[in-house]
Amino acid sequence: MKAVRYHDFGSSEVLRYEEVERPVPDTGQVLVRVAATSFNPVDDHIRAGALNAMLPIALPHVPGIDLAGTVAELGPEVTGVAVGDRIVAMLPLDAVGAAAEYVLAPVEALAAAPRSIDLADAAALPLTGLSAWQVLFELAELKPGQTVLVNGAGGAVGSLAVQLAVEAGAQVTASASPRHAERLQGYGARVVGRLDLAAGPATVGGPFEVVLNHVRGTGEEAAQLSHYVADGGVAASTAGPIPEDPARSVRAAGLWVRGDAARLTELVARVDDGRLRIHIADRRPVAESRAVHEDSAAGRLPGKTVLIAP
């Protein structure tokens, strides 16, 4: 079978599209015929070796944490799924990934795929959906009626966070580039454009009880963003730390996303009943993974990119 792999850590140049052996499921595993995976920024960090101290992986490595596909074979002692089932999953961060024709997945990671969208498009949901949920409800402990600022609301995680926060009864202000404004307004958010951090929170209707940050910046920018949090509020980030301010009882939290099949099942239900919309900016063959990684590094990636398996 064909797969994208890298044999050494480094830039996107280390990615190869090559022939590899088709894996065989072990106890508790299923073999999945991949419909698609998707690109996430963490794929870039893992490939570069930046996370190897905390997330050691075996080389050569196949990237692709998101998985949408069809169960092709069951390993020993697998129950609850059948060959032919359409599934989605967030694979373990240190596991062999889904940028391939087939991949092994632990059965406990699987959720039934959405019925209302193409199976390949469902690959855009697992990591971003779980990130949005965990940053909102586990880190920020969002409550109905709270004021929320989502910085980077046009991106994959930010877009889902806006929708989940609106559904939860929050008053959501979305900071994003103008090209995302109409879509974010359609989700029920007030859109303010990109933040001028030096201008201060009053310019965008703040400060806010909850600030969600999905934009990676400098230490100085992170410190400025903490001023957008109201006294007693929280800043939760998927893009690097934001300083706490104990004098104002402002706490901060950073996300290390984890797989959660039960929660993923709930997110799938929201997609199928129309409460959660997935925005996909581009769909490309998985064979073009090197170019996608290059585009991300150069700031050319238009948004959430799904990588279609052969």
Side-chain angles (χ1 to χ4, degrees):
M1 70 172 193
K2 287 286 192 178
V4 176
R5 293 201 301 183
Y6 48 91
H7 296 250
D8 300 288
F9 296 117
S11 71
S12 57
E13 295 297 320
V14 300
L15 291 167
R16 304 178 187 174
Y17 188 54
E18 58 191 13
E19 195 72 30
V20 302
E21 287 189 17
R22 175 171 157 170
V24 177
D26 202 344
T27 301
Q29 294 180 319
V30 301
L31 180 70
V32 178
R33 176 66 169 97
V34 179
T37 184
S38 79
F39 176 81
N40 292 289
V42 71
D43 294 320
D44 181 80
H45 303 326
I46 294 171
R47 187 212 67 238
L51 300 178
N52 205 41
M54 65 178 74
L55 192 69
I57 61 170
L59 295 175
H61 181 71
V62 179
I65 296 162
D66 287 318
L67 168 63
T70 305
V71 175
E73 186 179 341
L74 307 180
E77 301 178 24
V78 168
T79 60
V81 295
V83 171
D85 284 355
R86 291 156 49 98
I87 60 87
V88 290
M90 176 183 155
L91 298 174
L93 293 173
D94 59 351
V96 173
E101 292 183 66
Y102 290 88
V103 67
L104 297 176
V107 66
E108 64 270 15
L110 305 183
R115 302 180 305 276
S116 58
I117 61 175
D118 288 344
L119 181 59
D121 285 355
L125 177 65
L127 185 144
T128 53
L130 291 172
S131 294
W133 183 278
Q134 290 167 20
V135 76
L136 266 178
F137 300 112
E138 297 180 13
L139 299 186
E141 300 177 355
L142 182 70
K143 298 175 178 60
Q146 286 188 311
T147 57
V148 178
L149 172 66
V150 182
N151 187 34
V157 178
S159 293
L160 297 178
V162 166
Q163 295 176 72
L164 291 170
V166 168
E167 183 194 1
Q171 302 173 48
V172 181
T173 298
S175 170
S177 66
R179 72 179 184 273
H180 300 298
E182 184 176 355
R183 176 167 58 87
L184 294 169
Q185 288 166 353
Y187 297 157
R190 181 176 68 96
V191 182
V192 296
R194 286 184 173 142
L195 290 184
D196 177 0
L197 290 170
T203 60
V204 291
F208 303 87
E209 292 165 289
V210 174
V211 171
L212 303 182
N213 179 53
H214 307 297
V215 177
R216 193 166 296 277
T218 65
E220 180 183 356
E221 288 169 334
Q224 289 175 320
L225 190 57
S226 70
H227 299 312
Y228 284 68
V229 186
D231 293 357
V234 57
S237 179
T238 63
I242 296 173
E244 293 191 330
D245 189 346
R248 297 195 299 116
S249 299
V250 170
R251 67 179 181 90
L255 180 70
W256 185 259
V257 65
R258 71 182 193 285
D260 184 338
R263 189 66 66 194
L264 182 55
T265 297
E266 294 178 16
L267 293 167
V268 166
R270 282 173 163 81
V271 172
D272 278 338
D273 65 20
R275 286 178 290 164
L276 193 63
R277 286 171 276 176
I278 300 172
H279 177 69
I280 297 171
D282 200 6
R283 299 166 181 84
R284 295 168 71 171
V286 73
E288 296 181 12
S289 290
R290 178 189 290 186
V292 170
H293 281 237
E294 288 173 355
D295 287 346
S296 175
R300 296 190 301 261
L301 209 63
K304 189 61 175 176
T305 299
V306 167
L307 298 169
I308 310 295

